[in-house]
Amino acid sequence: MLKFEDITSSGTVKLSVVIVSLYSHLSLRKSLDGILANEIRDKIEILVVDCCSDEPISNLIQKYPKVRFIQFPPKVGIPFLAGAGIKQSIGEIVALTDASCVVGPGWIRAIFEAHQLPSPVIGGAVEVREKMKPLGWAAYFCEYGQFMRPLKMGAADVLPGNNISFKRSVLEGGTAYVEPEFWKTYWCEKLKENGIELISEPAMLTYYAKTFQTVPFFVRRFHHGRCFAGMRTNQSSLGKRMLYFAGSPILPAVFLYRTIITILAKKRFLKEFVLSFPFVVLAIVFWSLGETCGYLAGKGKSCELIY
């Protein structure tokens, strides 16, 4: 087994782990410690794409000398940070996560084992390990509830942006959604259009531990919804755009139904779901308002405000 000191020595890099960091260096330290606690049997590199300002980056460079840090000014959006990390990576496989997550102890091994198959794009499960307030639970249920275990292994419609891996060769498809910004949802949709199957692998496990303030969270949901709709209709005809807009009044009901059905089917954290339900409803409403605005007026500056 390679020691951590050897993972960036000479030889072909088998895996690049790209960590998007934009909230706090405390969470980044936990994320790095979780990755470094994994068994490392193949040559890997770890890249942190960071825009935090709560402590000098030199502190982290000193503590983690074998990790590559790429720093940007504060308030750079997630897609730009992810795109920059992917561009700087050199591994045969790229794994993308963010600093608000702590990976499971067998995460790296699971990635290598999964990529023994020809499938080029593989994502994993997203669980909760720490106690969270109702708002945090609402964010988890809305954004990652579908990736909660039990999670079916095999073909999937979507994969989590904080626990996704792909062979470098597949980046040649859908490059418009890779550089300079990585838009996971639209990139995956483009790959599916090209006949590439997305695969879900429950053994690839990350733990969600993100915290939010109430107002910024709902503002973020609005901008994310507007950005999604604006990009969705960017190359659509006016007729199709109006069709999306006409259907937008039913979005809250559709999203709420899907969320309830998904969480009930998992048969886990039902108490937390009930307690956080008012926040779940508000999160869905704000996303739907943003999506409606995006269909009507385009993405505006919302895509720049996804933190």
Side-chain angles (χ1 to χ4, degrees):
M1 182 176 70
L2 290 177
K3 296 181 180 179
F4 175 52
E5 289 78 7
D6 300 326
I7 64 178
T8 55
S9 60
S10 61
T12 302
V13 174
K14 299 294 185 181
L15 171 67
S16 295
V17 178
V18 176
I19 306 171
V20 172
S21 170
L22 70 165
Y23 299 111
S24 78
H25 284 159
L26 176 61
S27 61
L28 173 59
R29 289 170 184 268
K30 293 180 180 179
S31 180
L32 284 170
D33 290 342
I35 290 170
L36 297 175
N38 274 238
E39 254 190 349
I40 299 172
R41 295 183 178 276
D42 295 89
K43 182 170 165 49
I44 75 168
E45 67 169 354
I46 301 172
L47 297 88
V48 172
V49 194
D50 177 75
C51 68
C52 296
S53 58
D54 55 353
E55 70 168 319
I57 195 71
S58 58
N59 293 352
L60 292 169
I61 293 173
Q62 184 176 4
K63 181 175 175 59
Y64 304 101
K66 299 299 183 180
V67 175
R68 291 174 57 195
F69 290 90
I70 307 168
Q71 194 170 30
F72 290 94
K75 294 189 176 181
V76 175
I78 293 174
F80 181 85
L81 295 175
I86 292 169
K87 184 177 181 179
Q88 291 287 328
S89 67
I90 60 173
E92 296 176 357
I93 301 167
V94 180
L96 185 63
T97 186
D98 70 60
S100 67
C101 297
V102 177
V103 305
W107 186 68
I108 289 177
R109 182 177 65 252
I111 291 173
F112 279 125
E113 290 178 354
H115 279 278
Q116 294 302 308
L117 301 174
S119 302
V121 186
I122 304 171
V126 182
E127 285 283 295
V128 172
R129 183 164 58 183
E130 299 180 1
K131 291 183 178 180
M132 293 194 299
K133 295 181 180 179
L135 181 62
W137 278 108
Y140 172 73
F141 290 132
C142 289
E143 298 179 4
Y144 299 107
Q146 60 189 314
F147 307 115
M148 183 199 309
R149 289 176 168 178
L151 186 66
K152 184 180 178 181
M153 183 172 63
D157 290 327
V158 292
L159 298 174
N162 62 1
N163 190 12
I164 186 172
S165 64
F166 38 86
K167 295 177 176 65
R168 180 163 299 279
S169 59
V170 82
L171 289 172
E172 298 174 0
T175 53
Y177 299 118
V178 176
E179 293 185 15
E181 298 176 324
F182 180 68
W183 296 96
K184 183 268 304 182
T185 298
Y186 293 101
W187 181 65
C188 287
E189 287 298 323
K190 187 66 175 180
L191 294 181
K192 289 194 293 183
E193 290 175 9
N194 294 337
I196 295 176
E197 194 173 48
L198 309 180
I199 299 296
S200 179
E201 173 49 74
M204 282 176 54
L205 175 62
T206 62
Y207 293 96
Y208 177 91
K210 192 179 293 186
T211 58
F212 297 94
Q213 293 180 329
T214 304
V215 173
F217 170 72
F218 291 121
V219 170
R220 172 182 174 273
R221 289 285 296 182
F222 173 87
H223 286 302
H224 207 156
R226 182 175 181 180
C227 176
F228 170 82
M231 291 190 65
R232 186 182 190 188
T233 60
N234 194 36
Q235 297 179 343
S236 300
S237 65
L238 179 61
K240 193 169 186 179
R241 188 169 177 171
M242 289 299 99
L243 184 63
Y244 285 137
F245 176 72
S248 59
I250 66 170
L251 287 176
V254 172
F255 291 151
L256 185 60
Y257 173 78
R258 289 177 180 172
T259 303
I260 292 173
I261 292 300
T262 297
I263 302 307
L264 290 180
K266 300 287 184 177
K267 298 180 180 178
R268 297 178 59 213
F269 300 124
L270 298 183
K271 176 183 176 182
E272 288 79 4
F273 186 61
V274 171
L275 293 175
S276 64
F277 190 74
F279 289 113
V280 170
V281 173
L282 285 173
I284 288 172
V285 167
F286 273 87
W287 175 287
S288 301
L289 288 172
E291 193 167 332
T292 301
C293 183
Y295 293 138
L296 182 64
K299 62 184 181 181
K301 293 186 177 181
S302 288
C303 292
E304 303 170 19
L305 301 172
I306 300 177
Y307 304 121

